[in-house]
Amino acid sequence: MDYFFIEEDRASGYTGDVNATHKWLLPGISDCPGCKATWGGGSKAYPSVDLTPVAALADFEEPRAEPFEEYERLRELVLPLLPPGALLEPGVGFGPLVGRAQGRFGPLVSPVPWWLLAQREALEKLQAEGLRGLKGCATQLRFRQRNAPELFELELLPVGRAHPDCLPSNRKPPCPRCGRHGLTRPDDKDLLLDASTLPGHLDLFRLEDFSTAIVCTERFVEACERLGLDGVTFHRLVSA
């Protein structure tokens, strides 16, 4: 099975712009007791997760960094609500994308490298192809135009990892407390996938260790080409 990296097609001529954030988010960590880092990832998101059952909902509405103990307390509150296969890290988003959008959008939309959106018709066509793991979640985007598209965010589970051969040889192991590995993702042309970690049940996912990378199978690419769904480009990745 061949795999591909997905990114916005800047030459497509579409003018769509999205300025939004997820409705809720897990705070970042301030001064981790393991690695001393203050950080929050933010590229992982679970738009299908509804946090309204959580009593302390206000604790998930403002982006900020918290001490590790408070981060762990809040993390425990959302764990029971996650879909199977979800992983948590500081800064994870939940719920729909909320914000503004304008312009002309293609069938597929990647306003930032770690989000993939689809217009309703495109999503329905892809699901009808029998592609695995396509969960579309409604957005709450406000448009300043008539005939605004109905955009859905695709929920991307983190699975699969980069092969060690494309990573620095002097890299340190992830922090045992917060999980931070502090590595910069290799350039697209240098990104090598670890074949032993790739899923056999998903045609679309994000990498676990570099969650800004959206990856799809050859089946997904062929379906998009056959259906004429544009707005993004596909770059073949090597796995070993």
Side-chain angles (χ1 to χ4, degrees):
M1 175 68 72
D2 289 332
Y3 292 87
F4 295 78
F5 176 81
I6 299 177
E7 66 176 352
E8 176 189 14
D9 184 1
R10 297 180 178 86
S12 66
Y14 294 116
T15 60
D17 178 67
V18 176
N19 183 7
T21 59
H22 289 95
K23 190 169 186 177
W24 303 290
L25 72 162
L26 194 62
I29 290 176
S30 175
D31 194 21
C32 168
C35 63
K36 307 303 180 184
T38 295
W39 72 287
S43 53
K44 291 186 177 72
Y46 304 106
S48 71
V49 173
D50 181 3
L51 292 194
T52 52
V54 178
L57 194 58
D59 290 335
F60 298 91
E61 294 177 349
E62 295 294 331
R64 66 195 187 282
E66 292 281 4
F68 191 76
E69 294 75 14
E70 176 65 1
Y71 165 78
E72 283 193 317
R73 182 186 74 83
L74 296 175
R75 182 178 183 274
E76 292 301 313
L77 294 178
V78 302
L79 276 175
L81 304 175
L82 297 181
L87 299 174
L88 287 182
E89 67 179 19
V92 166
F94 308 101
L97 279 173
V98 179
R100 294 174 295 183
Q102 62 181 356
R104 189 168 65 90
F105 291 87
L108 300 176
V109 183
S110 183
V112 295
W114 49 93
W115 294 347
L116 182 61
L117 283 62
Q119 295 201 40
R120 175 185 286 277
E121 184 180 3
L123 176 60
E124 291 175 347
K125 286 181 177 180
L126 288 172
Q127 290 173 331
E129 291 286 316
L131 295 172
R132 301 160 298 178
L134 298 191
K135 181 193 289 187
C137 302
T139 60
Q140 295 180 5
L141 299 173
R142 302 184 304 276
F143 288 84
R144 297 180 177 178
Q145 62 197 60
R146 294 181 179 180
N147 302 319
E150 189 176 6
L151 294 178
F152 290 79
E153 181 181 5
L154 291 168
E155 186 164 77
L156 305 169
L157 293 177
V159 59
R161 304 180 67 86
H163 195 281
D165 286 354
C166 71
L167 303 177
S169 58
N170 61 347
R171 65 188 180 279
K172 297 180 180 179
C175 173
R177 297 299 299 277
C178 70
R180 181 178 183 270
H181 56 70
L183 294 176
T184 300
R185 193 187 81 195
D187 292 338
D188 303 342
K189 64 180 184 301
D190 299 321
L191 181 60
L192 178 66
L193 301 180
D194 186 342
S196 67
T197 69
L198 298 175
H201 64 292
L202 297 173
D203 286 307
L204 183 69
F205 55 95
R206 69 171 79 250
L207 293 186
E208 177 184 337
D209 49 357
F210 294 107
S211 54
T212 58
I214 300 177
V215 178
C216 68
T217 62
E218 187 175 10
R219 294 179 70 240
F220 185 90
V221 175
E222 290 175 346
C224 289
E225 292 176 345
R226 184 168 58 254
L227 295 168
L229 304 180
D230 61 359
V232 298
T233 59
F234 303 100
H235 304 282
R236 190 183 301 273
L237 294 170
V238 176
S239 58

